[in-house]
């Protein structure tokens, strides 16, 4: 499964007569492998874990299935904070969870949001994700889930609350949406995708094989390179369709010319002039299409450069300015390696989260007693700061 956050599905949300928001289906957690610092892990001292080392933990599917009922009726709060009847944070409680059930690999539930401001933040997307808070036990176990190895497993899970967050640790925990069940973490990204015409032009421009002022013939040759059988069939079909269209157009023009020739020679000359103008228009249209493809290729290249610049900004607190790299993934991996984290086997989409965790590692933090499926929030009680209370 990719890590891209998917758009909210409004079909599963409704507002009742009292203005309360109801989300009929929401991924609350998932049986996936996630990264945790040693200091975040319950039982770290007993297991001899290093506080500043990242460990990959598997949220056990059987444990989630058994724990599903424990989240029913639990409060939905605006920040992560352990709750109890004796210490209930009324100011940040905005709703409750109901009807939870495990549909591998996801824990699915219904949300009822009572607070109007919280409903607005969900509707406008500023807080579109959820993150479960729960108690659990840690057991050593080595395995692999969807291509991601792990060395620790969570068992005996007991849910405490559900928090509204901007960035979850479980990437599929999105209000009103869930990951399609047939997509795994990385395998879909490994599937071959035919290179588009714009991508071929972009690659040629970047490598220098195609000049900015290249002719139409040079661009077409570039687009035909490394053509797959599927692409070849599609191109040939398109060419046949274009040839048929051109033949039909030519036939119409000839018929029109013949009819006009029978009437007046002057009309015949007008038909020929019109045909020449059409040819000029066709060439202009072809030139415009080539220009559009080149522009798209340049835009893609600029997007890659922006991503690399964003990566440089993100890693600056760890390693300062990074020079000589133009790939965002390379920049993130370099910064992580310099701080003692080997990210060679980690997918590019997970690298920004690891860099954020490495930066946050420089800040003192007290031991975490509840696992939080969101990225570490600097103002969360779990990160050592006072909980922000809603006014």
């Amino acid at each position: 499964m990719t890590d891209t956050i998917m758009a909210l599905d409004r079909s599963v949300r409704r507002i009742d007569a009292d203005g309360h928001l109801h989300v009929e289906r929401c991924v609350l957690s998932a049986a996936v492998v996630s990264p945790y610092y040693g200091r975040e892990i319950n039982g770290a001292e007993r297991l001899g874990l290093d506080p500043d080392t990242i460990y990959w933990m598997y949220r056990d599917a059987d444990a989630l299935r058994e724990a599903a009922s424990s989240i029913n009726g639990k409060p939905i709060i605006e920040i992560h904070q352990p709750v109890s009847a004796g210490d209930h944070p009324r100011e940040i409680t905005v709703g409750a969870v109901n009807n939870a059930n495990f549909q591998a690999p996801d824990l699915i539930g219904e949300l009822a949001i009572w607070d109007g401001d919280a409903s607005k933040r969900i509707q406008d997307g500023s807080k579109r994700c959820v993150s479960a808070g729960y108690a659990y036990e840690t057991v050593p176990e080595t395995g692999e889930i969807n291509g991601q190895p792990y060395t620790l497993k969570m068992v005996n899970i007991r849910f405490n609350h559900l928090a509204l967050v901007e960035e979850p640790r479980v990437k599929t925990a999105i209000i009103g949406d869930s990951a399609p069940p047939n997509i795994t973490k990385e395998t879909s990204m490994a599937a071959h995708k035919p290179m588009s015409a714009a991508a071929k032009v972009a690659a040629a421009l970047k490598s220098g094989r195609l000049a900015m002022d290249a002719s139409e013939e040079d661009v077409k040759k570039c687009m035909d390179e490394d053509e797959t059988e599927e692409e070849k069939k599609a191109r040939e079909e398109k060419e046949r369709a274009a040839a048929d269209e051109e033949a039909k157009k030519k036939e119409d023009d000839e018929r029109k010319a013949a009819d006009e020739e029978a009437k007046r020679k002057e009309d015949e000359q007008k038909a020929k002039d019109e045909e020449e103008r059409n040819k000029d228009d066709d060439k202009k249209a072809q030139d415009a299409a080539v220009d559009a493809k080149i522009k798209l290729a340049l835009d893609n290249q600029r997007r890659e450069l922006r991503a690399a610049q964003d990566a440089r900004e993100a890693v600056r607190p760890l390693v300062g300015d990074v020079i000589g790299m133009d790939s965002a993934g390379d920049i993130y991996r370099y910064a992580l390696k310099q701080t003692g984290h080997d990210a060679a086997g980690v997918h590019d989409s997970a690298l920004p989260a690891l860099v954020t965790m490495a930066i946050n590692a420089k800040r003192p933090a007290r031991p975490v007693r509840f696992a939080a499926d969101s990225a570490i929030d600097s103002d969360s009680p779990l990160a050592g700061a006072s909980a922000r209370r809603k006014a």
Side-chain angles (χ1 to χ4, degrees), residues 51-70:
D52 297 321
T53 296
I54 294 174
Y55 297 88
W56 292 88
M57 299 186 70
Y58 172 49
R59 202 172 291 98
D60 183 66
D62 291 335
L64 276 182
R65 184 180 291 105
E66 294 173 1
S69 62
S70 72

Side-chain angles (χ1 to χ4, degrees), residues 36-53:
Y36 292 87
Y37 277 111
R39 59 177 173 272
E40 297 181 275
I41 298 172
N42 190 30
E45 298 84 355
R46 172 178 56 83
L47 296 169
L49 305 181
D50 178 52
D52 297 321
T53 296

Side-chain angles (χ1 to χ4, degrees), residues 33-308:
V33 179
S34 300
Y36 292 87
Y37 277 111
R39 59 177 173 272
E40 297 181 275
I41 298 172
N42 190 30
E45 298 84 355
R46 172 178 56 83
L47 296 169
L49 305 181
D50 178 52
D52 297 321
T53 296
I54 294 174
Y55 297 88
W56 292 88
M57 299 186 70
Y58 172 49
R59 202 172 291 98
D60 183 66
D62 291 335
L64 276 182
R65 184 180 291 105
E66 294 173 1
S69 62
S70 72
I71 200 170
N72 287 332
K74 292 300 182 182
I76 301 174
I77 56 180
E78 294 208 276
I79 59 174
H80 269 303
Q81 176 175 322
V83 301
S84 66
D87 185 19
H88 181 65
R90 297 176 180 82
E91 298 85 351
I92 58 174
T93 300
V94 297
V97 184
N98 291 291
N99 297 327
N101 65 92
F102 185 72
Q103 300 175 17
D106 299 321
L107 179 64
I108 307 295
E110 298 179 10
L111 310 184
I113 307 298
W114 312 322
D115 182 78
D117 290 339
S119 295
K120 290 178 182 178
R121 286 190 285 274
I122 292 173
Q123 298 281 56
D124 66 23
S126 59
K127 275 205 173 179
R128 62 188 306 214
C129 305
V130 296
S131 172
Y134 50 90
Y136 67 97
E137 294 180 11
T138 306
V139 295
E141 179 179 292
T142 300
E144 184 176 294
I145 299 294
N146 295 333
Q148 178 61 59
Y150 66 89
T151 57
L152 299 170
K153 183 171 72 173
M154 294 181 180
V155 297
N156 296 332
I157 294 172
R158 177 179 56 80
F159 287 99
N160 177 266
H161 65 271
L162 190 73
L164 300 179
V165 296
E166 297 176 3
E167 182 69 19
R169 196 189 303 260
V170 178
K171 294 299 184 181
T172 56
I174 301 165
I175 292 174
D177 208 347
S178 62
N182 61 333
I183 300 179
T184 58
K185 183 173 182 181
E186 292 185 1
T187 53
S188 66
M189 297 189 68
H192 172 72
K193 293 183 179 179
M195 183 177 285
S196 66
K200 290 177 180 178
V201 174
L205 288 170
K206 188 174 182 179
S207 64
R209 292 186 293 111
L210 186 67
M212 291 297 297
D213 58 350
S215 66
E216 178 184 345
E217 186 64 29
D218 289 338
V219 173
K220 185 178 183 300
K221 181 179 178 182
C222 172
M223 292 167 61
D224 290 340
E225 290 179 354
D226 301 324
E227 192 173 42
T228 66
E229 187 64 27
E230 183 179 359
E231 290 174 324
K232 182 179 179 181
K233 289 181 180 179
R235 176 179 58 78
E236 290 176 348
E237 181 64 28
K238 185 177 180 180
E239 289 175 351
R240 283 194 294 270
D244 291 342
E245 182 67 22
E246 184 64 25
K248 183 178 182 301
K249 180 179 180 299
K250 184 177 180 181
E251 182 181 352
D252 292 343
D253 288 343
E254 289 176 350
R255 183 183 298 110
K256 181 179 179 180
D259 291 343
E260 291 178 347
E261 183 178 10
K263 294 178 181 180
R264 289 189 311 269
K265 288 185 178 182
E266 183 179 357
D267 289 342
E268 177 184 349
Q269 186 61 46
K270 289 181 179 180
K272 291 180 179 179
D273 293 342
E274 181 67 20
E275 186 177 355
E276 290 300 321
R277 283 194 296 270
N278 288 340
K279 289 180 179 180
D280 290 340
D281 291 341
D282 288 344
K283 179 142 188 338
K284 291 177 181 177
Q286 292 173 356
D287 291 342
V290 172
D291 290 343
K293 291 172 182 175
I294 293 175
K295 182 180 181 300
L296 180 58
L298 292 175
D299 289 343
N300 290 338
Q301 186 177 10
R302 294 188 186 100
R303 190 158 35 251
E304 293 176 2
L305 294 175
R306 284 197 298 269

